[in-house]
Amino acid sequence: MNFVSDIMFRVIRRLISAESGESFSFVPSKRQTFPRMPGMVDFYVHIPYCRNHCRWCPYNTRPYCDDEFPSFFENLLSEVRQVISAGALLYGKSLYIGGGTPTCTGRFLLDFIDCLVKDFGSPSTIAVETSVDELTLDMISGLKASGVAQLSIGVQSFNGKRLQSLGRVVHQTKATDILKSVAHAEFENVNVDLMHDVQRHSLADLGEDIHCAADNGADQITIYPLFRFFTSRGVCMPQIIRRRRFYSFLWNIMQSNGYVPVSVWSFCRPDAIRKFSSVQRRLFVGLGPGAATSLEGLFAFNTFDCKAWMQRISSRLPAYSLEMPISANMRALYDLYWDMYELHLPKVVSEKLIRNRLLNFIAQGAQFLGLCDDDETLTQRGAFWIHLMQNQYVLNYINKVWSASMRTPFPNMIRL
Ligand SMILES: C[S@@+](CC[C@H](N)C(=O)[O-])C[C@H]1O[C@@H](n2cnc3c(N)ncnc32)[C@H](O)[C@@H]1O
Ligand code: SF4
């Protein structure tokens, strides 16, 4: 973010949140015991390993190293046991396994899921992230046998040249063949991630990739504009006019292929059983290096450093490196943010929001301007503005928290 947009962002944030900059700061965690967990709660598990590193990837990843897998998964199970002892219950809630590319750990991943289900009961759904080259036929049947219901496959593009220009390794396996095999296995929801570089790829390129995903059985398609994270020139936001063109093309083509928007980035077939996302859960316990935990009064990050994470867990200490206390107002803001991410703008916002009158006024203004329907659903124009806001917010957040956490296992205070 440049200096002017940073100031604007802070002023607007202050105005609509009534919170000072301090409230949006992460402080180093001094916790020696886990906070009391709220009983049944969603779980997020982070498995950082990837065989290749993609140029613009901001996630906490680690080069593939099968020698590390036994101790990594042993620590992961210990961390699960520790949060369960602190009161968390997985039974009946969702288990989301993201990364990294979890399936590259092969049998270790499947044994981990089997062990969780056996020891702590069946979650309501199990979702796993993967990529084209880490999804063999054996892995597909292994995931099915372990009760995985939702799969998200990072395809990014079906075209080799576009993959290269996105900084991705060209698929060794044919993405369409993998998608067909996955469709045959009848998961409840198969999401395909695509990336689009607004500056380099044409809308026709995007249309081609969307058709390929739709024709080969994707229940859900998520399209991310390529974000250029951690660049020395700061966050790179493409020109607004190009971005607007991209977004309306996206809505029109997805709807003409029979998909409905379910979030600012994702479109789902109306008959798909569930929608797939790691970020739409409001309260969750995070496990593994770099995983976030979101509880009623607390938002925390585990240390991103795998060695430091293992040391903490084997000493039976929480692996949190950063924490942000969450007041009732902040929690209501967080919920409103994710409501809008899921294209819902309530006419009357929560009374827990300090600025609820101002926000109700803004919500009514949005209706008046046609950004939102009568049934409180954002229209294409409304979703476009939320998608830009989300883009700005996420880039700022990731650039600050991720880059500090990747430099050192236990960073100092970070102001968002
Ligand atoms: C953690 S990856 C999950 C799957 C797998 N590791 C892969 O990359 O195929 C989640 C998704 O983030 C998206 N992503 C990664 N880096 C991105 C970037 N710089 N801009 C936009 N989307 C990005 C990709 O679409 C990717 O599928
Ligand atoms: S985009 Fe996926 S495969 Fe590439 S480095 Fe990131 S997590 Fe790994």
Side-chain angles (χ1 to χ4, degrees):
M1 240 190 281
N2 66 33
F3 182 69
V4 178
S5 58
D6 194 29
I7 300 276
M8 266 174 57
F9 171 74
R10 280 164 201 283
V11 170
I12 295 171
R13 186 177 70 184
R14 178 78 198 237
L15 201 72
I16 61 177
S17 69
E19 296 279 353
S20 70
E22 294 295 301
S23 309
F24 295 95
S25 299
F26 280 100
V27 292
S29 175
K30 303 266 179 282
R31 235 169 251 275
Q32 297 294 308
T33 54
F34 281 93
R36 191 77 211 135
M37 300 284 168
M40 284 171 74
V41 65
D42 295 314
F43 275 50
Y44 171 78
V45 174
H46 190 81
I47 300 187
Y49 298 98
C50 290
R51 244 177 264 262
N52 300 299
H53 186 78
C54 311
R55 198 170 358 131
W56 301 113
C57 177
Y59 298 103
N60 187 32
T61 59
R62 198 167 165 76
Y64 180 93
C65 176
D66 48 6
D67 286 353
E68 283 182 13
F69 295 167
S71 58
F72 178 85
F73 280 95
E74 210 175 286
N75 279 290
L76 210 45
L77 273 174
S78 292
E79 197 177 18
V80 174
R81 286 194 197 99
Q82 287 165 33
V83 295
I84 299 257
S85 307
L89 291 171
L90 172 62
Y91 173 77
K93 298 296 282 182
S94 69
L95 168 63
Y96 187 105
I97 305 180
T101 313
T103 49
C104 80
T105 60
R107 190 68 240 166
F108 287 92
L109 170 69
L110 301 176
D111 289 347
F112 171 72
I113 300 174
D114 293 346
C115 192
L116 281 197
V117 172
K118 183 164 112 340
D119 290 358
F120 307 113
S122 290
S124 59
T125 184
I126 305 176
V128 172
E129 284 179 1
T130 181
S131 64
V132 172
D133 288 323
E134 298 295 355
L135 202 51
T136 56
L137 293 181
D138 279 352
M139 182 47 81
I140 295 172
S141 47
L143 291 166
K144 266 303 267 192
S146 296
V148 173
Q150 306 188 66
L151 264 194
S152 180
I153 310 173
V155 173
Q156 323 311 343
S157 176
F158 292 85
N159 173 288
K161 283 205 180 113
R162 284 201 288 283
L163 281 172
Q164 273 172 333
S165 83
L166 288 164
R168 298 277 301 196
V169 171
V170 178
H171 307 139
Q172 298 296 311
T173 320
K174 226 172 149 216
T176 48
D177 289 349
I178 279 294
L179 283 188
K180 280 184 194 134
S181 309
V182 169
H184 190 67
E186 298 187 342
F187 287 91
E188 286 183 9
N189 184 323
V190 175
N191 171 74
V192 166
D193 278 348
L194 296 176
M195 282 203 278
H196 176 70
D197 184 350
V198 186
Q199 286 160 19
R200 284 178 168 179
H201 302 152
S202 69
L203 295 180
D205 292 339
L206 178 61
E208 195 180 289
D209 280 333
I210 288 173
H211 280 301
C212 259
D215 292 347
N216 289 287
D219 299 305
Q220 181 172 316
I221 306 182
T222 301
I223 302 105
Y224 297 107
L226 174 71
F227 303 136
R228 289 176 167 82
F229 290 101
F230 312 137
T231 61
S232 53
R233 286 179 294 117
V235 164
C236 183
M237 284 281 281
Q239 290 168 340
I240 202 150
I241 295 177
R242 273 200 197 176
R243 198 55 182 265
R244 184 78 192 92
R245 238 183 265 141
F246 153 72
Y247 205 63
S248 63
F249 175 84
L250 195 57
W251 271 59
N252 296 337
I253 192 168
M254 291 312 296
Q255 285 175 330
S256 65
N257 274 281
Y259 290 77
V260 292
V262 287
S263 79
V264 290
W265 313 113
S266 298
F267 299 79
C268 207
R269 285 200 205 278
D271 55 348
I273 299 182
R274 297 173 209 260
K275 56 185 177 178
F276 184 102
S277 171
S278 64
V279 288
Q280 281 145 301
R281 293 157 178 88
R282 309 291 162 103
L283 299 179
F284 52 89
V285 172
L287 307 143
T293 290
S294 169
L295 303 176
E296 205 59 63
L298 171 76
F299 197 87
F301 275 103
N302 274 356
T303 174
F304 280 48
D305 185 274
C306 202
K307 211 164 141 210
W309 168 77
M310 289 199 202
Q311 275 165 359
R312 284 285 176 113
I313 298 303
S314 49
S315 315
R316 303 193 61 77
L317 293 169
Y320 303 154
S321 58
L322 293 166
E323 292 193 3
M324 185 188 280
I326 303 287
S327 64
N329 178 45
M330 289 287 280
R331 170 57 58 190
L333 277 170
Y334 181 83
D335 287 347
L336 180 62
Y337 174 82
W338 289 114
D339 274 350
M340 292 193 294
Y341 181 91
E342 293 184 286
L343 308 176
H344 178 70
L345 180 59
K347 283 181 195 151
V348 181
V349 300
S350 162
E351 295 220 328
K352 290 188 182 148
L353 286 160
I354 297 176
R355 295 275 200 253
N356 63 69
R357 283 167 56 191
L358 172 66
L359 288 162
N360 284 338
F361 179 72
I362 295 174
Q364 280 151 22
Q367 278 228 333
F368 178 75
L369 294 170
L371 303 178
C372 187
D373 285 339
D374 254 5
D375 67 353
E376 304 186 333
T377 306
L378 290 168
T379 58
Q380 187 198 124
R381 274 202 303 135
F384 172 68
W385 288 107
I386 298 301
H387 136 277
L388 277 193
M389 180 193 89
Q390 218 258 338
N391 195 158
Q392 192 81 2
Y393 170 77
V394 164
L395 289 175
N396 173 44
Y397 174 61
I398 288 190
N399 270 346
K400 286 186 180 153
V401 177
W402 268 239
S403 53
S405 301
M406 283 171 184
R407 271 195 305 273
T408 165
F410 296 99
N412 293 327
M413 183 177 183
I414 301 172
R415 287 175 201 277
L416 293 180

